[in-house]
Amino acid sequence: MIFTKEEYLRRVRKTKEMMDHLGMEMLLVMDPANMNYLTGYDGWSFYVHQGVIVFLNRENPIWFGREQDSNGARLTSWLPDDCICGYPDKYVQSRYTHTMRWVAGLLRENQADNRRFGLEMDGYWFNAKMYITLKEELPHAQLMDGTNLVNWVRVVKSPAEIEYMRQASRICEKVMQTAIDEIDVGVWEKDVAANVCAAQIAGTEAFGGSSPAIFPIMPSAERTSTAHLTFEPDRQYQKNDAVLLELCGARYRYHAPLSRTVYLGDPPEDLCQTADGVVKGLQETLSFVRPGVTAEAVEARWREAIAHTGVVKPSRVGYSYGLNYVPDWGEHTISLRPGDKTILSPGMTLHFMPGIWLDAYGFECSEPILVTDKGCEKFIEFPQQLFVK
Amino acid sequence: MIFTKEEYLRRVRKTKEMMDHLGMEMLLVMDPANMNYLTGYDGWSFYVHQGVIVFLNRENPIWFGREQDSNGARLTSWLPDDCICGYPDKYVQSRYTHTMRWVAGLLRENQADNRRFGLEMDGYWFNAKMYITLKEELPHAQLMDGTNLVNWVRVVKSPAEIEYMRQASRICEKVMQTAIDEIDVGVWEKDVAANVCAAQIAGTEAFGGSSPAIFPIMPSAERTSTAHLTFEPDRQYQKNDAVLLELCGARYRYHAPLSRTVYLGDPPEDLCQTADGVVKGLQETLSFVRPGVTAEAVEARWREAIAHTGVVKPSRVGYSYGLNYVPDWGEHTISLRPGDKTILSPGMTLHFMPGIWLDAYGFECSEPILVTDKGCEKFIEFPQQLFVK
């Protein structure tokens, strides 16, 4: 157990308070990060249907999953044995039946098939067929939208969580340094990516890392003109390549993301100007972040700071992050963009991420930050610049 | 482009034939492996909503995704520019609006809002809220279940796909050898895992790997008594540890999975017996696999082969695999288990995976295989044994 039982119980209680506030009696939590957050459960079993059901009127949640994974729940969660329910293998990825029929049976056995029942409607893990099947199986339940309910409980981190995020940050520094040290003309992209992946897991002398929720994003050359492309397996870096690095460290699934940009050769003037404008805008914006300001105000401050540079950034400039599994280290709560009214509070953790993708190439320089009592603090001290080699 | 345009067009045509057969006029494909299969699109952007829409009455599918990813579609897919549609960033992970409202608008613009419209209802990527929103926005459409439709088109692999799966197999051999060579008493689990991750990406002298759809599963000691736990970041291997290795190589997202088991010390008698029974059962079963037999007959043959050993395996013993992204290299089509009536054909690729999890530890020894004209062929030649060190 990487947190105290008290911490897990506090998380469950906060979840119940939010459920009660919304008039919800039960919540089906299928997001693996939310399952982990509430129970400690940690396994790569989320490719089959599994979940945690939180009941307002029961002390402990119930974990359910594939029978062969239930020992994993016994080993990694704080839940007592009678709260761990495995289902038979015939429900796994079947075209003949559906796991939600089994879940509905479980609820009927527990006289819980007629409740106001929250579902993570807009997450990755609660799909349309699950909804349709539950609706059919539970005609007396009132199905409600519980999207991101636990994600919002997660948004303010505890001191213990922040400590793991600091450890992840130490790993991330090593990961980024590995990439910057190794990228060079003639080096295979795959070899740098391999060493980056190794650094993520090897961690530091003191502790190991965990699998990242986003695989290293490290496009080169024309592939830097867009977001989210990874390395090219059969290409060597060439002179005049720009390389974007969107990397992370992770510790017990808690992340520390960081972006930087490398240029091999003499960088073009407009890339240098973009870099300069972005870095200054980043610094000005971070000095503005403090409790009480809204997410959209932070974005507006950024936009103001770069207005004179001609750089335009139509996508959000940051988001809340922390505990997660694939496919995203973002938390799906706060976005730094126009219209997001979230008021920042101490303990929130944001990835301020001004990525710019121009026609020919891009520039990224980001910072993971912690909102503190008076302002914000960077998790990572890493030079904010275009790395020219 | 890693396949010819003709191959992509053939895949689209097969998809349309299956749609037509089901009385479907349009199909929304949101599974990133299916998107890649039909268009070549390849980016780590699937954490936001994106998809490919296949129309029976249009030659080319439409790709849609976040505006900042649309250059990625231009760079990696064969689609012409006018088939690539980016949506504004305000739709990303928003609690104020929903991407499916934008998609419905796109369909209305194309006079396609009143069709028989297939949806990947039971996949990871089409969630309940998407369904509810489309239902509301498209009152004249007839929403249909298109779960795994493209997955079933994928089930028989082309020669070009099989070639990439062979390359992935070469990577996988190196990955497995790295793990077996490095696991030893006193070695940190994280350091072995780091080298395994690096081997997956570094690939061979001739070509690089790609990110695996399942992170290396390599539990030790009591954690081998269950499925799907990964390494422990702060633990050193100890004498009398069993270590399960469920690893893979991947090439252009095509996988080669393989499982083996290591024991550090003198293995207990019952583990040796289990290993012996499983390996013999595996060999007998593989010699039975051929075109024309059903998936459930393969499982029955396995059960018969191990009946005398006392080993019981209540979960499926294999599944179809190939092209994939996180969280699963399995294809969600064929499962080797009672009740699965799929008739095997040449070109199908299966991971025969008899994992046994006993009370104190487990044993795994698996083989990725290709169904051939007359029988089956192992993709990988790797000793089938308990590795004792």
Side-chain angles (χ1 to χ4, degrees), chain A residues 80-363:
Chain A
D81 257 25
D82 64 353
C83 293
I84 294 171
C85 305
Y87 61 75
D89 224 61
K90 70 171 180 177
Y91 290 102
V92 173
Q93 298 171 356
S94 172
R95 61 190 188 274
Y96 307 117
T97 182
H98 199 281
T99 329
M100 285 300 142
R101 302 208 187 280
W102 182 90
V103 169
L106 181 73
L107 294 178
R108 278 190 295 269
E109 275 170 37
N110 284 273
Q111 287 80 49
D113 56 329
N114 58 353
R115 307 281 176 81
R116 292 188 299 278
F117 191 15
L119 304 165
E120 292 177 317
M121 297 281 196
D122 205 14
Y124 304 115
W125 308 99
F126 186 71
N127 70 31
K129 183 66 169 274
M130 294 175 182
Y131 171 72
I132 292 167
T133 308
L134 276 186
K135 216 172 151 179
E136 184 185 313
E137 289 275 340
L138 301 174
H140 305 298
Q142 184 182 328
L143 305 183
M144 302 175 66
D145 193 353
T147 300
N148 291 336
L149 190 151
V150 180
N151 304 52
W152 280 103
V153 174
R154 279 162 46 198
V155 83
V156 170
K157 273 70 179 176
S158 73
E161 289 182 287
I162 289 166
E163 180 53 30
Y164 290 129
M165 292 174 78
R166 289 193 200 285
Q167 293 179 355
S169 302
R170 298 298 77 75
I171 297 173
C172 182
E173 288 158 0
K174 289 196 158 234
V175 168
M176 185 60 77
Q177 198 62 56
T178 299
I180 292 173
D181 288 349
E182 300 205 1
I183 288 170
D184 217 335
V185 174
V187 174
W188 291 97
E189 296 195 9
K190 71 182 176 83
D191 289 334
V192 178
N195 289 327
V196 163
C197 289
Q200 288 180 319
I201 302 304
T204 72
E205 292 283 304
F207 46 77
S210 59
S211 64
I214 299 181
F215 186 83
I217 291 178
M218 34 197 299
S220 60
E222 66 169 357
R223 290 163 69 90
T224 64
S225 68
T226 184
H228 300 129
L229 296 189
T230 54
F231 67 100
E232 284 209 76
D234 305 336
R235 180 179 187 273
Q236 292 161 290
Y237 292 108
Q238 293 171 25
K239 195 163 155 57
N240 296 322
D241 271 0
V243 187
L244 298 183
L245 298 167
E246 194 170 339
L247 309 176
C248 78
R251 172 73 171 154
Y252 294 131
R253 320 289 175 194
Y254 281 86
H255 286 75
L258 191 71
S259 301
R260 290 292 184 271
T261 305
V262 175
Y263 195 87
L264 297 175
D266 288 328
E269 187 53 30
D270 60 342
L271 179 57
C272 294
Q273 280 173 2
T274 299
D276 198 50
V278 167
V279 168
K280 282 194 187 124
L282 168 69
Q283 289 165 349
E284 279 185 49
T285 310
L286 292 193
S287 70
F288 172 78
V289 173
R290 59 183 188 276
V293 304
T294 61
E296 66 176 356
V298 174
E299 193 275 343
R301 185 69 194 79
W302 152 261
R303 208 152 11 93
E304 188 190 322
I306 58 158
H308 68 284
T309 65
V311 168
V312 177
K313 164 78 175 155
S315 49
R316 63 180 183 176
V317 291
Y319 49 82
S320 185
Y321 78 98
L323 173 69
N324 233 327
Y325 291 85
V326 293
D328 191 8
W329 56 51
E331 200 171 55
H332 298 202
T333 49
I334 307 164
S335 287
L336 302 178
R337 67 179 159 200
D340 191 313
K341 312 285 185 191
T342 314
I343 297 166
L344 300 190
S345 306
M348 289 179 174
T349 49
L350 302 169
H351 185 207
F352 186 74
M353 167 52 177
I356 305 292
W357 300 281
L358 306 172
D359 282 347
Y361 41 69
F363 179 76

Side-chain angles (χ1 to χ4, degrees), chain B residues 308-323:
Chain B
H308 68 283
T309 65
V311 169
V312 178
K313 164 78 176 154
S315 48
R316 63 178 182 177
V317 292
Y319 49 81
S320 185
Y321 78 97
L323 173 70

Side-chain angles (χ1 to χ4, degrees), chain B residues 6 9 19-20 31 80 213 227 269 336 359 376:
Chain B
E6 288 63 42
L9 292 177
M19 288 165 58
D20 184 39
D31 182 301
E269 186 52 31
L336 301 178
D359 282 347
C376 78

Side-chain angles (χ1 to χ4, degrees), chain B residues 284-303:
Chain B
E284 280 185 47
T285 310
L286 292 193
S287 70
F288 172 78
V289 173
R290 60 181 186 277
V293 303
T294 62
E296 66 175 355
V298 175
E299 193 276 343
R301 186 68 194 81
W302 152 261
R303 209 154 7 95

